[in-house]
């Protein structure tokens, strides 16, 4: 927590909060901290003209100041049954990342809302603000249990309808969606959200250690498939998985979002303290 205290949520977009917060906005406002000068134009507020510069240069310059504003942080947590898999377990990894991001948002007095999604939005915190809500947030995340099938599009649609304010939206999921990820992501990609998608897979999914004739069961809908595991088949599986992840990345980045892939073997604090900072979510 001491290391997380040094971080804050960043946004590449101009997200205007309703309340004064503890961040420096990219916008110029009317706080007491000086930011820059610009040339005076007709209609500007005369109170902000720097008359000392006018006396020296005989030109009118307007003083600009840093404006502080809050930001909304939305965290969508996948708790469908497919996340209850792997060693280290995907669901536990996702919960740790969600709790870390929620903590960073709360201690910086941002509005934080966490929603758990499976066959819809199955649980949500509503808006929270301030360090005093940290224990409530951690309690909520710790009680989430992966179960049920994934209806990604319905979950994203319900979330977008319930959260209409601009903000940073972080989706934590394996993105294994039979219906396809496109229908869901179109509700949160672009527009009012600064989107970050973190795809989290277990090492057993990235490089399966399977051989022989097997009967495989879909963990979410119990679909069965009989397969004979061969080297060419495993090569094709890895190729298909790579193509799927690349298509997800392409879909997100083309719509102005940020995509990050990670395995659960990567320590979650490394993901938060290093990778998410490199991608511009934290600073």
């Amino acid at each position: 927590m001491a290391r997380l205290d040094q971080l804050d949520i960043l946004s590449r977009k101009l997200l205007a909060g309703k309340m004064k917060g503890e961040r420096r906005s990219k916008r110029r406002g009317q706080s007491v901290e000086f930011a820059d000068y610009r040339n005076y134009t007709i209609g500007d507020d005369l109170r902000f003209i720097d008359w000392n510069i006018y006396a020296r240069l005989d030109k009118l310059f307007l003083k600009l100041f840093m404006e502080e504003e809050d930001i909304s942080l939305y965290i969508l947590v996948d708790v469908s049954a497919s996340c209850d898999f792997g060693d280290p377990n995907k669901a536990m990894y996702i919960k740790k990342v969600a709790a870390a991001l929620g903590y960073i948002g709360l201690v910086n007095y941002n509005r934080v809302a966490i929603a758990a999604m499976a066959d819809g939005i199955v649980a949500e915190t509503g808006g929270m603000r301030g360090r005093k809500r940290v224990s409530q947030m951690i309690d909520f995340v710790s009680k989430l249990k992966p179960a049920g099938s994934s209806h990604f599009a319905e979950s994203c649609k319900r979330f977008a309808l319930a959260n209409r304010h601009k903000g940073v939206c972080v989706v934590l999921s394996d993105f294994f969606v039979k219906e396809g990820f496109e229908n869901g992501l179109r509700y949160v990609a672009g527009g009012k959200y600064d989107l970050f998608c973190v795809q989290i897979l277990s090492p057993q999914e990235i490089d399966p250690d399977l051989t022989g004739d097997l009967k495989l069961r879909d963990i979410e809908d119990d679909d069965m498939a009989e397969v004979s595991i061969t080297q060419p088949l495993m090569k094709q599986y890895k190729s298909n998985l790579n193509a799927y992840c690349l298509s997800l990345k392409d879909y997100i980045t083309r719509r102005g979002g940020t995509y990050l892939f990670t395995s659960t073997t990567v320590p979650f604090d490394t993901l938060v303290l290093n990778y998410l900072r490199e991608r511009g979510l934290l600073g």
Side-chain angles (χ1 to χ4, degrees):
M1 284 184 174
R3 298 170 73 187
L4 295 177
D5 275 333
Q6 304 172 29
L7 300 176
D8 195 3
I9 304 296
L10 301 179
S11 174
R12 299 154 301 181
K13 298 181 179 180
L14 301 181
L15 303 174
K18 286 188 174 182
M19 294 179 59
K20 294 295 180 182
E22 296 180 348
R23 73 177 50 255
R24 290 181 176 179
S25 169
K26 293 180 182 179
R27 297 187 296 130
R28 298 293 184 259
Q30 300 179 11
S31 72
V32 295
E33 187 171 354
F34 172 76
D36 202 354
Y37 290 104
R38 69 167 172 82
N39 290 326
Y40 171 81
T41 58
I42 296 175
D44 285 335
D45 194 329
L46 298 178
R47 293 176 299 171
F48 300 113
I49 291 177
D50 192 315
W51 297 107
N52 290 326
I53 291 182
Y54 177 74
R56 296 199 306 270
L57 304 179
D58 198 28
K59 292 184 179 180
L60 292 175
F61 287 91
L62 206 69
K63 290 185 287 186
L64 304 177
F65 300 89
M66 296 299 299
E67 180 170 337
E68 294 187 341
E69 62 183 25
D70 71 336
I71 200 170
S72 292
L73 171 63
Y74 303 110
I75 305 173
L76 276 172
V77 181
D78 189 350
V79 294
S80 60
S82 68
C83 290
D84 190 16
F85 181 79
D87 183 22
N89 184 266
K90 285 190 293 182
M92 179 57 69
Y93 193 94
I94 288 173
K95 288 162 64 173
K96 287 180 178 180
V97 176
L101 293 176
Y103 177 84
I104 293 169
L106 290 174
V107 298
N108 285 284
Y109 212 67
N110 299 311
R111 291 190 300 270
V112 176
I114 304 176
M117 57 181 181
D119 57 352
I121 300 298
V122 296
E124 53 190 329
T125 62
M128 302 178 293
R129 185 194 294 274
R131 188 181 290 267
K132 64 182 180 181
R133 305 296 290 275
V134 167
S135 60
Q136 176 188 344
M137 180 274 297
I138 292 178
D139 185 60
F140 172 85
V141 172
S142 66
K143 289 179 178 177
L144 294 175
K145 303 293 183 184
S149 58
S150 174
H151 292 289
F152 188 63
E154 176 63 22
S155 300
C156 291
K157 180 180 179 181
R158 285 186 53 189
F159 162 79
L161 290 174
N163 298 277
R164 298 179 179 275
H165 297 300
K166 291 182 178 181
V168 175
C169 179
V170 182
V171 183
L172 305 173
S173 174
D174 57 14
F175 289 96
F176 285 162
V177 186
K178 280 190 173 182
E179 68 196 45
F181 54 78
E182 295 89 351
N183 287 337
L185 286 179
R186 67 186 178 90
Y187 291 106
V188 293
K192 60 187 175 182
Y193 301 122
D194 196 357
L195 180 64
F196 290 82
C197 292
V198 184
Q199 186 179 22
I200 299 166
L201 300 185
S202 70
Q204 293 80 15
E205 292 165 327
I206 299 170
D207 188 15
D209 184 18
L210 300 175
T211 57
D213 297 329
L214 301 174
K215 181 179 287 187
L216 304 180
R217 180 179 64 87
D218 189 304
I219 198 171
E220 292 190 1
D221 60 16
D222 290 328
D223 275 358
M224 304 297 293
E226 295 184 1
V227 295
S228 295
I229 306 298
T230 62
Q231 267 196 332
L233 183 64
M234 291 306 299
K235 184 177 180 180
Q236 184 64 44
Y237 167 82
K238 293 177 182 179
S239 176
N240 289 346
L241 177 62
N242 184 59
Y244 182 80
C245 295
L246 287 176
S247 66
L248 173 63
K249 177 182 179 181
D250 181 65
Y251 185 93
I252 293 167
T253 54
R254 281 193 292 109
R255 287 158 179 79
T258 299
Y259 168 85
L260 178 63
F261 174 90
T262 187
S263 165
T264 57
T265 56
V266 176
F268 94 95
D269 53 341
T270 300
L271 173 72
V272 174
L273 296 171
N274 296 335
Y275 297 162
L276 292 180
R277 293 178 71 180
E278 293 172 3
R279 294 303 176 93
L281 173 61
L282 303 174

